[in-house]
């Protein structure tokens, strides 16, 4: 799967189970209604947060946000609200999920379905709100490395 280039997102859950996780297992499912999916390992802290929270945020990272991607992928980082120390974010209007400053786009979603598949669960979310950020290049991941996808001219 390392030969499949993907965009990079940070998934977030607010409230009592505030948490974030870098993810590239994210996809659009439907335009009507707007629906997305994320795939989360059962061993991930985010699995419990998503299951209990019932909603989530998606932050589509810009090329200059590799440090955020690495931070939220670090299994040794402090968890809970402290993982957001020194990171600019605002709570989403619909879900309270942390929306990271400088992202290319933000989505807020309600979990509407969940499908067990091996050691992961595929969470399907209906988009409640979405916004677009700057016109920077996108952060991508390919062959085990971060890179940037240029903006179309």
């Amino acid at each position: 799967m390392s030969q499949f280039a993907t965009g990079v997102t940070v998934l977030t859950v607010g409230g009592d189970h505030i948490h974030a996780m870098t993810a590239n297992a994210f996809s659009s499912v439907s335009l009507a209604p707007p629906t997305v999916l994320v795939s989360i390992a059962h061993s991930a802290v985010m699995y419990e947060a998503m299951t209990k929270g019932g909603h989530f945020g998606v932050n589509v990272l810009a090329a200059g946000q590799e440090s955020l991607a690495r931070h939220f992928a670090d299994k040794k980082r402090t968890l809970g609200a402290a993982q957001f120390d020194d990171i600019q974010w605002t709570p989403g209007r619909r879900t309270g999920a942390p929306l990271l400053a400088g992202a290319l786009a933000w989505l807020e979603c309600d979990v509407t379905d969940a499908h067990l598949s091996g050691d992961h669960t595929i969470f399907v979310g209906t988009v409640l709100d979405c916004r677009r950020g700057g016109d920077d290049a996108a952060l991508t991941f390919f062959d085990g490395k971060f890179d940037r996808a240029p903006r179309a001219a």
Side-chain angles (χ1 to χ4, degrees):
M1 296 311 299
S2 69
Q3 297 306 294
F4 182 67
T6 64
V8 181
T9 68
V10 171
L11 306 177
T12 56
V13 172
D16 294 338
H17 303 284
I18 191 167
H19 187 63
M21 177 187 97
T22 301
N24 59 359
F26 164 80
S27 182
S28 172
V29 175
S30 171
L31 296 178
T35 309
V36 298
L37 68 79
V38 296
S39 181
I40 300 174
H42 298 149
S43 61
V45 173
M46 182 57 84
Y47 175 76
E48 184 176 345
M50 287 276 281
T51 301
K52 290 181 177 177
H55 53 263
F56 61 98
V58 179
N59 299 270
V60 179
L61 298 188
Q65 295 183 301
E66 180 179 337
S67 63
L68 283 177
R70 290 186 182 282
H71 172 72
F72 289 116
D74 183 356
K75 293 184 188 312
K76 296 178 185 173
R77 75 182 182 282
T78 302
L79 299 180
Q83 70 189 295
F84 294 95
D85 287 354
D86 301 322
I87 293 173
Q88 293 181 346
W89 65 277
T90 57
R93 298 183 291 211
R94 300 289 301 271
T95 65
L99 304 179
L100 305 176
L104 293 180
W106 305 271
L107 296 93
E108 292 184 82
C109 306
D110 268 343
V111 175
T112 53
D113 211 352
H115 303 277
L116 179 66
S117 183
D119 62 355
H120 281 59
T121 292
I122 300 162
F123 291 93
V124 179
T126 298
V127 178
L128 303 172
D129 192 19
C130 60
R131 283 171 269 156
R132 187 176 177 152
D135 285 332
D136 298 335
L139 183 63
T140 60
F141 196 72
F142 176 73
D143 201 19
K145 297 181 261 296
F146 289 104
D147 204 348
R148 60 188 300 122
R151 298 285 302 178

